[in-house]
Amino acid sequence: MKPSILFLTLSMLLITACGQQSVKPVYLDSSKPLEDRVEDALSRMTLEEKVAMTHAQSKFSSAGVPRLGIPELWHTDGPHGIRPEVLWDEWDQAGWTNDSCTAFPALINLAATWDRDLSRLYGDCIGAEARYRGKDILLGPGINMGRTPLNGRTFEYMGEDPYLAGELVVPYVRGVQSNGVAACVKHFAVNNQEVRRTATSSNLDDRTLYEIYLPAFRKAVQEGGAWAIMGSYNLYNGQFNCHNKKLLCDILKDEWGFDGVVISDWGGCRDDEEAITNGLDIEMGTWTNGLRGAASDSYSNYHLANPYLERLRDGRATEEELDGKVRRILRTVFRTSMAPEPHYGSFTSPEHYAAARKIAAEGIVLLKNDGILPLRPQSGSRVLVVGENAYKMMVVGGGSSNLKTKREVIPLDALHEAFDSKASVVWERGYVGDTTTVYNKVVTGQDLSESRSAGQLLSDAVTAARDADYVLYIGGLNKSKGQDNEGTDREDILLPYGQDALIEALAAVTDKLVVVNISGSPVAMPWASKANAIVQAWYGGSESGHALVDVLTGVVNPSGKLPFTMPLALADGPIKTERQYPGVKEEGEKWWQEYYDEGVFIGYRWYDTQGIDVQYPFGHGLSYSTFELRDASVKRSGKGWTVSATLANTGDVAGAEVVQLYISDVEASVARPAKELKGFAKIYLEPGEKRRVKFDIGPDDLSWFDTEKHAWVAEPGAFRALLGTSSADIRAEIPFNYDK
Ligand code: BGC
């Protein structure tokens, strides 16, 4: 080649190369604004590629655009840890050996911490585990309200109060998403029971919807900036929630300005037309061993697959509408796997176990204590431990939140660790609850078989109790069917497996009885007056045993507070009729109908307003120290008020107290709850230390939702600010006026 031709060729090559560099597609350029990347990617896609993104391509993934190098989205349960890998088309385990995660405490345990910082820590850690495992969307947290104590998924949610759940969901979402993983907040909305969850319509007025069932979701979206929302299985006012126009289009997307992706619950999408028009963006779990029968070529048969393509081709659906969905999906990709800053995550790190232990311990609630706790057994003393939950591993079970964890410390092992050098620890099972040790092929390796009869078990426990210096009962519920479990509700709030009789029998032979109830939902405690101390612990995850023993021995001073009311009896609650729960079905009707006749009066809003006694009130929890609230005041500040008081630790142990602010509307024109939580602060104080606590409130905190005006209304008149350490233990009441 002549030099001049060589020069020309090289220059052309260079120009092409440079040219190629300068025309790097916008969607691949992470320095470009998100919306530009979305529009650029969208403009390059075919109709078929767009539709492929709107439905599942496997049990837990939805398609990307391989031609453009846009990766698929990987979804994973769940709220408490990263689910083990499943087969492509099935719920069954894939059998990986490197997918054992850190199990974090159940969300109800997190809610009981009443600690926003711990919620952020939880989100940070679980988000890092999800990212490490290559997941883009974490299917959680769940924030449905505790309407009935029987709901099998209460343990996966954040209690009965919209303000508490709203304050805690925000940092969780931010923490998860700081790892480049979308939090998929679920289950939107009014999905408050498991009984017939796919065939029941929750029917309620807007006031109840806006005041009780939506606020935590709104905060997750508007303050937490959630990138994903999961529609729920049930219907709301007659339309399925995975394509409920009012919930998804009118409220979530229009009113709240949600710009993320709406994902169906697995198998929750039921109709071609509604799936297209009513706000759903990705359809998951419809076929393949899900809620519906599997068909061949199942993913193509999804509502948002071939049926959608047909409608697009024959003009019954518009590409503009499809683009709306794809924009949201692309946004999710550019926020997660194609985010400007790469994230790598971390898995089962010592930091994650430490976080799990801290959160679990901080959420344990000391319900009662006559001074027996903290347990400091003298040298040579005998500690008898009774109850299946001292031994049974509980990270497994419960449904989709079932986990395979690298380690789980059971209470009995942690007790041995703490006491063996000075006291003898002996375990008696006392009763047989659930002997399952394999959940969806996750094997615990425990042997829970039992040859003794129920009578023998009880009498062995009672005999051993006679000689014991301390009797530590560790029982409660578990995560098997009919207990704290997805897909089923409980039938009663009494303890199962004859535990009430067993606790009574133990109380008759010892005056050193500590009862630890491990559960994810409220239980009745008819024996409460006979126990020297009662501790409410939860499914605490990998470090549950350590966390419990930390509290029992005083290594951690308890500071957890109940995120729900512990009633005396189920019948005391607001749900009185079948039409309220579990719903009724008229002859010839397709779906069950359920009416939220109790309106806004759930949980303490009901008990307080009606003046009904409870076993332990919402917000209750003791400490090994004592706290005083002094010098409470309300002062006008700008358009609102500052409510403040001084909290003093008057005991001799360092610890935390949760100061709770409730507002009471004295002169409302509509029936309002006696009081509602509008602020809380968890304050840690050394003995003798004190601190001023301040809450800023405004007219919004005084308002109720007017259905007719479709607006929040704060009525001028008299109000009271109530400051306390539970919904029942109000230490200061300060009247104030709202003049507008
Ligand atoms: C549950 C969801 C879960 C999904 C995927 C459904 O049955 O309701 O909470 O995320 O399954 O496992």
Side-chain angles (χ1 to χ4, degrees):
M1 199 182 286
K2 280 189 184 163
S4 56
I5 298 181
L6 180 66
F7 177 75
L8 201 68
T9 317
L10 274 176
S11 325
M12 287 196 44
L13 272 175
L14 265 176
I15 289 166
T16 318
C18 297
Q20 260 167 8
Q21 232 171 34
S22 66
V23 293
K24 177 179 184 182
V26 171
Y27 78 95
L28 286 177
D29 184 347
S30 61
S31 69
K32 290 284 190 291
L34 176 74
E35 294 307 319
D36 293 359
R37 297 179 76 192
V38 168
E39 291 309 319
D40 182 53
L42 189 68
S43 71
R44 297 166 190 268
M45 291 170 63
T46 66
L47 192 73
E48 290 71 17
E49 284 169 338
K50 290 178 187 175
V51 170
M53 287 190 116
T54 64
H55 61 267
Q57 57 158 16
S58 78
K59 197 85 220 147
F60 279 103
S61 70
S62 50
V65 193
R67 181 178 63 85
L68 299 177
I70 295 175
E72 53 216 353
L73 281 172
W74 279 92
H75 312 232
T76 182
D77 283 305
H80 308 148
I82 309 309
R83 186 179 177 139
E85 299 298 329
V86 300
L87 295 171
W88 189 259
D89 280 340
E90 310 290 337
W91 292 109
D92 279 348
Q93 305 287 307
W96 288 21
T97 51
N98 57 354
D99 57 352
S100 299
C101 66
T102 308
F104 296 95
L107 285 191
I108 196 72
N109 190 155
L110 173 64
T113 66
W114 290 56
D115 190 324
R116 297 171 182 90
D117 294 340
L118 289 184
S119 189
R120 173 68 199 229
L121 177 68
Y122 194 127
D124 283 342
C125 296
I126 196 171
E129 298 232 341
R131 178 38 68 217
Y132 185 96
R133 287 265 303 277
K135 308 301 180 190
D136 309 304
I137 301 178
L138 180 78
L139 305 175
I143 48 170
N144 295 88
M145 287 291 102
R147 176 176 179 247
T148 162
L150 300 181
N151 182 7
R153 293 187 91 170
T154 305
F155 74 105
E156 283 189 69
Y157 299 143
M158 295 197 189
E160 70 182 29
D161 183 78
Y163 180 79
L164 176 66
E167 286 298 293
L168 293 179
V169 72
V170 168
Y172 182 115
V173 167
R174 290 187 184 154
V176 169
Q177 295 188 168
S178 69
N179 291 282
V181 172
C184 183
V185 184
K186 67 191 188 183
H187 306 90
F188 192 65
V190 283
N191 174 210
N192 304 300
Q193 70 192 53
E194 290 301 290
V195 174
R196 295 188 286 266
R197 61 179 176 168
T198 61
T200 303
S201 177
S202 302
N203 304 316
L204 57 154
D205 57 62
D206 272 5
R207 180 172 168 213
T208 308
L209 182 70
Y210 275 79
E211 286 187 28
I212 304 294
Y213 297 100
L214 293 186
F217 284 103
R218 188 192 60 72
K219 273 196 185 164
V221 168
Q222 294 189 330
E223 293 175 29
W227 293 336
I229 288 279
M230 182 189 289
S232 59
Y233 281 133
N234 56 304
L235 305 93
Y236 156 67
N237 284 359
Q239 190 169 52
F240 276 105
N241 285 356
C242 289
H243 29 75
N244 188 296
K245 180 175 176 303
K246 178 168 162 183
L247 288 178
L248 299 177
C249 302
D250 302 348
I251 297 177
L252 178 69
K253 292 184 175 176
D254 290 352
E255 253 179 64
W256 298 350
F258 174 69
D259 73 353
V261 70
V262 173
I263 299 170
S264 75
D265 199 343
W266 269 233
C269 179
R270 313 287 279 258
D271 182 85
D272 293 352
E273 169 97 33
E274 288 184 1
I276 294 167
T277 56
N278 289 359
L280 179 64
D281 301 310
I282 304 182
E283 177 189 2
M284 297 298 295
T286 305
W287 307 106
T288 68
N289 190 25
L291 285 184
R292 324 280 297 276
S296 63
D297 194 17
S298 26
Y299 298 109
S300 311
N301 289 321
Y302 271 44
H303 301 282
L304 291 184
N306 285 348
Y308 194 8
L309 264 179
E310 274 164 36
R311 281 166 187 258
L312 284 158
R313 286 182 184 136
D314 68 20
R316 282 177 297 153
T318 67
E319 190 160 353
E320 197 189 341
E321 195 168 34
L322 170 66
D323 285 351
K325 297 182 195 299
V326 178
R327 276 193 185 93
R328 290 170 184 274
I329 299 167
L330 287 169
R331 222 170 264 145
T332 311
V333 176
F334 294 134
R335 283 170 166 161
T336 57
S337 54
M338 292 179 81
E341 294 162 32
H343 297 273
Y344 305 104
S346 51
F347 200 56
T348 58
S349 64
E351 290 78 10
H352 291 182
Y353 285 113
R357 182 169 180 165
K358 183 162 177 60
I359 296 162
E362 295 273 323
I364 290 173
V365 185
L366 180 62
L367 294 174
K368 172 182 177 180
N369 187 17
D370 70 358
I372 190 173
L373 292 179
L375 265 192
R376 303 222 167 99
Q378 291 190 335
S379 174
S381 54
R382 287 153 304 175
V383 179
L384 173 70
V385 182
V386 181
E388 190 172 279
N389 288 354
Y391 182 74
K392 185 174 170 58
M393 287 173 132
M394 220 99 70
V395 160
V396 290
S400 57
S401 59
N402 180 42
L403 294 173
K404 182 164 104 185
T405 182
K406 211 168 193 171
R407 83 162 181 251
E408 177 176 353
V409 179
I410 56 171
L412 192 59
D413 287 349
L415 284 165
H416 279 298
E417 226 178 89
F419 291 153
D420 276 358
S421 59
K422 44 186 175 290
S424 76
V425 175
V426 173
W427 179 57
E428 272 294 338
R429 188 170 185 168
Y431 64 91
V432 176
D434 173 38
T435 54
T436 319
T437 54
V438 182
Y439 288 84
N440 188 22
K441 302 207 173 130
V442 178
V443 182
T444 66
Q446 287 194 303
D447 178 6
L448 291 175
S449 61
E450 178 61 64
S451 53
R452 287 172 292 175
S453 68
Q456 190 62 50
L457 281 162
L458 185 137
S459 104
D460 287 353
V462 171
T463 307
R466 286 182 213 278
D467 297 332
D469 295 304
Y470 296 97
V471 178
L472 186 51
Y473 184 86
I474 306 184
L477 307 181
N478 54 46
K479 290 169 155 186
S480 65
K481 253 191 173 171
Q483 304 297 323
D484 286 315
N485 185 270
E486 180 178 343
T488 54
D489 283 351
R490 285 187 298 155
E491 280 175 7
D492 197 357
I493 60 168
L494 287 167
L495 287 178
Y497 319 126
Q499 292 180 79
D500 288 336
L502 174 59
I503 297 170
E504 296 274 358
L506 293 170
V509 297
T510 178
D511 57 1
K512 290 267 183 292
L513 175 63
V514 175
V515 176
V516 177
N517 178 61
I518 298 184
S519 72
S521 42
V523 304
M525 300 179 169
W527 33 260
S529 64
K530 295 175 193 154
N532 302 82
I534 306 176
V535 172
Q536 174 64 39
W538 318 91
Y539 306 115
S542 286
E543 290 288 331
S544 55
H546 281 148
L548 177 60
V549 174
D550 285 346
V551 168
L552 292 175
T553 56
V555 169
V556 169
N557 188 356
S559 62
K561 297 279 181 176
L562 286 179
F564 51 56
T565 308
M566 282 285 194
L568 283 162
L570 184 61
D572 292 344
I575 288 167
K576 306 287 183 200
T577 62
E578 260 186 60
R579 61 175 252 135
Q580 281 176 288
Y581 174 88
V584 290
K585 185 152 85 92
E586 298 292 329
E587 191 102 18
E589 267 190 23
K590 213 164 168 194
W591 312 119
W592 294 75
Q593 303 296 327
E594 186 175 69
Y595 300 90
Y596 286 36
D597 293 336
E598 72 287 352
V600 298
F601 297 95
I602 64 164
Y604 70 91
R605 286 169 168 76
W606 164 260
Y607 295 103
D608 274 8
T609 312
Q610 297 291 320
I612 297 171
D613 283 347
V614 299
Q615 186 72 62
Y616 294 109
F618 172 79
H620 172 72
L622 305 172
S623 160
Y624 295 145
S625 194
T626 49
F627 296 90
E628 271 177 27
L629 260 183
R630 303 171 186 148
D631 308 324
S633 70
V634 177
K635 294 215 171 82
R636 213 54 242 207
S637 79
K639 289 198 170 140
W641 301 265
T642 299
V643 183
S644 53
T646 299
L647 179 75
N649 182 346
T650 50
D652 49 16
V653 202
E657 176 59 285
V658 179
V659 181
Q660 303 165 35
L661 168 66
Y662 296 85
I663 298 291
S664 169
D665 186 347
V666 182
E667 290 177 354
S669 65
V670 291
R672 296 197 68 182
K675 56 169 135 13
E676 294 184 281
L677 185 71
K678 295 294 172 183
F680 64 86
K682 189 164 188 171
I683 315 281
Y684 181 89
L685 296 175
E686 295 294 328
E689 201 189 353
K690 54 184 196 258
R691 194 172 316 154
R692 196 82 189 149
V693 190
K694 282 188 186 165
F695 302 98
D696 289 319
I697 55 167
D700 285 355
D701 298 301
L702 315 182
S703 59
W704 54 277
F705 192 84
D706 186 328
T707 300
E708 269 171 36
K709 291 187 183 144
H710 194 77
W712 290 91
V713 179
E715 292 177 327
F719 289 84
R720 280 177 306 156
L722 313 176
L723 282 169
T725 57
S726 86
S727 60
D729 184 12
I730 298 302
R731 309 271 179 97
E733 283 196 31
I734 314 131
F736 66 102
N737 239 52
Y738 174 47
D739 308 318
K740 205 152 207 178

